[in-house]
Amino acid sequence: MSKTIYILNGPNLNLLGQRQPEIYGRETLADVERLCADVATPAGFSVRLMQTNHEGQMIDWIHAARLEAAAIVINPAAWTHTSVALLDALHTFEGPVIEVHISNVHKREEFRHHSYVSLRADGVIAGLGIEGYALAVRRVCSLLG
Ligand code: CA2
């Protein structure tokens, strides 16, 4: 079995730490990767963090995960609320999937309250800042044993 956990990030998250710190904090994706590795490494897993602004690229990575990853932690960003294509891609993946949102989407606009991805996710974390990613990694490590 693969020992890699994919940490997938959707559109605009490349700007994490550079804009809207009142909503998303000051940490960057590099900080996310470090936090996740700190949890995964002692459990015998490695993490591969990726970010894209292109939906087709994200779908291709999810397909690649079928062969290359034991689990997916995904912050789909705005595609959470819009993308049946992303949901369909995640349905082709057999391992654990955890959906992460940095902000508490339920405290924000109504359109952020619905998630297509949640129809596939084994767990959902929202509003815990970037610590949510590390908690998601901890959960998949324990699910994978
Ligand atoms: O809270 C989250 O993690 C979100 O997935 C972030 C998405 C938003 O559309 C979701 O409703 C909730 C937006 C990501 C935009 O990321 C930025 C980060 C820094 C500066 C600007 C945008």
Side-chain angles (χ1 to χ4, degrees), residues 11-13 15-20 24 75-78 80-81 100-105 108 111-112 133:
N12 300 305
L13 284 165
L15 297 177
L16 196 63
Q18 297 177 40
R19 298 271 186 286
Q20 297 181 267
Y24 299 115
N75 183 345
T80 308
H81 319 296
V100 173
H101 299 286
I102 297 165
S103 66
N104 182 358
V105 284
R108 300 182 66 190
F111 68 84
R112 295 186 203 276
Y133 288 88

Side-chain angles (χ1 to χ4, degrees), residues 4-64:
T4 304
I5 299 167
Y6 272 17
I7 317 283
L8 300 177
N9 293 275
N12 300 305
L13 284 165
N14 52 309
L15 297 177
L16 196 63
Q18 297 177 40
R19 298 271 186 286
Q20 297 181 267
E22 67 289 355
I23 302 177
Y24 299 115
R26 295 198 180 276
E27 295 113 325
T28 66
L29 282 182
D31 297 316
V32 171
E33 188 167 29
R34 213 170 6 252
L35 274 186
C36 290
D38 285 350
V39 174
T41 307
F45 290 91
S46 61
V47 297
R48 183 160 171 216
L49 185 143
M50 291 171 270
Q51 186 279 329
T52 182
N53 295 322
H54 304 279
E55 193 171 355
Q57 174 66 85
M58 179 65 88
I59 289 165
D60 287 345
W61 283 338
I62 293 168
H63 293 173

